[in-house]
Amino acid sequence: QVQLVESGGGLVQPGGSLRLSCAASGTIFPFYAMGWYRQAPGKQRELVATISRGGSTNYADSVKGRFTISRDNAKNTVNLQMNSLKPEDTAVYYCNANDITRSYWGQGTEVTVSS
């Protein structure tokens, strides 16, 4: 019954910023880990950033220093602040969450970086 819903995607110029949000429903307890993945046309899905229940984070080298992941355990939400966006950041971004039983995925939100 767990569902993840992403929002905040859109069209932005190179150098601009976007903030993605993911809201989880169907559970009261915080996930052990949450994160963001992305998939560009013709490419495999890749990890962007993850954050543990305790707040430990890790980032793909391609986004380190530009993106920031955060979460609110009480609300079961995870956010991705994306700054200094590049055309190569264009992709569908997917929210991910993990508990003891399984991994959950959102439907994705499109991010297009273009002038």
Side-chain angles (χ1 to χ4, degrees):
Q1 295 86 6
V2 173
Q3 294 187 52
L4 306 178
V5 180
E6 303 98 331
S7 63
L11 174 65
V12 65
Q13 294 185 353
S17 298
L18 283 175
R19 184 176 178 85
L20 305 183
S21 295
C22 173
S25 62
T27 181
I28 297 176
F29 305 99
F31 294 99
Y32 286 98
M34 301 185 76
W36 291 91
Y37 290 71
R38 67 186 182 186
Q39 186 168 21
K43 302 294 180 63
Q44 294 185 351
R45 186 175 299 185
E46 65 176 351
L47 183 148
V48 177
T50 62
I51 184 168
S52 72
R53 184 172 57 185
S56 179
T57 61
N58 76 289
Y59 298 89
D61 289 340
S62 60
V63 307
K64 189 173 296 184
R66 299 188 297 120
F67 292 8
T68 302
I69 188 170
S70 61
R71 66 184 290 174
D72 185 331
N73 291 338
K75 297 181 179 180
N76 271 337
T77 60
V78 61
N79 304 306
L80 184 69
Q81 179 65 47
M82 305 186 294
N83 299 324
S84 301
L85 284 162
K86 305 174 181 179
E88 48 263 49
D89 294 318
T90 296
V92 177
Y93 284 71
Y94 296 92
C95 179
N96 170 254
N98 295 93
D99 60 20
I100 297 175
T101 304
R102 63 168 62 187
S103 178
Y104 304 94
W105 294 90
Q107 81 288 347
T109 184
E110 294 186 12
V111 172
T112 302
V113 184
S114 176
S115 59

